[in-house]
Structure formats: structure tokens, C-alpha cells
Amino acid sequence: MANMKIKASARGGVVKCKVMMKHDMLTYDQAKAKGKEANFITHITAKAGGKVVLDMSTSQFLSKNPLIKFDFSTEGLKKGDKLEMTWTDLSGKTVTEDKEIKGLK
Amino acid sequence: MERRKFLGLGLTAAAVLPAVLNAKDFRAEKPDTWTAKKVQPAIEALYGKITPVEEGVTVQAPKVASNGGSVPVKIKSDIPAKTVAVFQDANPEATVAVFDLSEGGIIDYSIQIKMKASGTITAIVEGKDGKFYLGKQSLEVALGGCEG
């Protein structure tokens, strides 16, 4: 299931990443209005080459289907390395997807 | 009965997993931060009593956001930092996200957040030198993004 759209490309020593996660991100208020259970992404982790490159705890106020962009240094990465994204939501669901980082030498 | 047992199993498995995966879970460590209603108490819950310096942190957001459901916010800083926290004062609770920086991490994040009304986005950077730096940006929201 394609849950995430991941784009990662290296240029000039920096890997630029763009990740779109498919998630409803229902806040407590919205959930109440809809009569559903609140559910939102609470933690996002990104790994590349065995190293954690992004680690964020998030609240309900990220937008629906949140898009995040971040950079990290290419140090220690080699051709064919992948960017591995993991998110966890309030219900405890965890999704991991990876994508090869483009432009690595 | 069988089904109930099965569900219970699933729950425990889910509860154990994130602890292993995450380097640092601020939601578990500082639960008060996520329920704080205002920016100031949220900052205090996360970092304790601090007096941040207002420099070195750039928060970029549109002056007028047409859709409060997804306001693009960019946070940039050159300060060698340990953590970065993002707050706003328009929603029922103040904290949006806390980043934990790894070695060689670059502070150049773009995220999209919900804003119920016009307000101010505050970013706090905890430097490796133990100091705190602050950046903020006020914006107007034309259409609030928190109602269903």
C-alpha cells in the first residue's frame, strides 16, 4: 500500500527529502464533531544508512496528509542507500516505507 | 471471547513497538507539553524555566493563509542544536511538533500545520551550548482549519 510519497535526492553534500504521508489527522475537536475517535501521527522517524536523520514527535495540529521537507548531510552514505520513513499514530499503528536516495555517489 | 483476546494481544504489541523504534519520544517523556493550552506553559513543560534569545531562528509562513487546514511553515537555523520545538497560539493546545536532532542534523524543516484562527507560530531552538533561541512569525488565517 502506498501510504507515503517519498522523494529524496542528494546534491552538493546535502540530501533533500520530501515526504507526504497519507493520514486523516483527526484532532480531538474534529473527531468529536464527526463522532469518530481522534487519531493523528504522533511520531515520525527517518533513517538513512543506519543513522537516524529525522526524529520528530508531533501533535494533532499537523495538517491532513502532512507534507514534511527536511535536509541532512550525505556524510557516510553510499550509492544505493535508502531513506526509511516510519510513522506511528495514536492508535499504535506503525507504517514503514523506504525509497532509494537519488544522486548518491 | 477469542476475538477479545486477540485484540488485547494486538494492543500490547502496538504499545511495545514504538518504544523500540523511536530514539526519543517526547510525547512519553514530557506529557504535559502536549496538553498545555498556551505557549508559555508548553515551553516550561518541555524545557523548564528558560529565557530564550530572540535571534538566529527563522520562521517562514505566509502573512495571510487562505486555508487554515494546511499552513506551510518553514523553520531554519544555523545554530548547532539538540532539539527544536514548534508552538502556536491559535489552537486548543499549543505544541505542534518537537524535533530531536541527530549528529550533523540540519535545521531546515518545512511542515504543514492546522491553524484554527490567526495567531503566532513560535519556534524554539535548544542549542548545544545550553542556550535557547527563539523565532516567531505572526500570520492571519482567512479560513480556520480545525472545525470538521
Side-chain angles (χ1 to χ4, degrees), chain A residues 25 55 57-61, chain B residues 27 93 95-96 98 100 114:
Chain A
M25 300 297 284
D55 190 51
S57 309
T58 55
S59 77
Q60 45 181 328
F61 302 123
Chain B
R27 292 192 77 89
E93 280 124 38
T95 314
V96 177
V98 181
D100 184 27
K114 288 184 195 123

Side-chain angles (χ1 to χ4, degrees), chain A residues 13-14 16 24-30 33-34 40-45 47 51-73 86 88 90-94 96, chain B residues 11 14-15 17-18 20-27 34 68-71 74 88 91-116 145-148:
Chain A
V14 175
K16 284 192 181 296
D24 273 348
M25 300 297 284
L26 273 187
T27 66
Y28 290 111
D29 284 5
Q30 283 172 333
K34 285 186 181 172
F40 46 88
I41 294 175
T42 55
H43 206 102
I44 302 168
T45 315
K47 274 187 201 161
K51 234 171 51 175
V52 175
V53 290
L54 174 87
D55 190 51
M56 64 190 282
S57 309
T58 55
S59 77
Q60 45 181 328
F61 302 123
L62 284 187
S63 69
K64 186 179 175 184
N65 298 337
L67 173 82
I68 53 170
K69 285 186 226 166
F70 58 98
D71 294 1
F72 59 91
S73 125
T86 308
T88 308
L90 199 67
S91 70
K93 191 178 159 199
T94 303
T96 305
Chain B
L11 273 180
L17 253 179
V20 183
L21 275 171
N22 304 332
K24 200 168 189 183
D25 192 349
F26 286 98
R27 292 192 77 89
W34 305 94
S70 102
V71 181
K74 204 169 181 182
Q88 47 63 46
N91 294 341
E93 280 124 38
T95 314
V96 177
V98 181
F99 298 87
D100 184 27
L101 268 84
S102 51
E103 240 358 89
I106 302 167
I107 307 179
D108 189 349
Y109 298 119
S110 294
I111 51 173
Q112 290 178 319
I113 66 174
K114 288 184 195 123
M115 295 280 283
K116 198 173 188 175
C146 256
E147 57 274 310

Side-chain angles (χ1 to χ4, degrees), chain B residues 4-18:
Chain B
R4 187 158 288 193
K5 256 188 200 160
F6 174 74
L7 280 175
L9 271 179
L11 273 180
T12 27
V16 173
L17 253 179

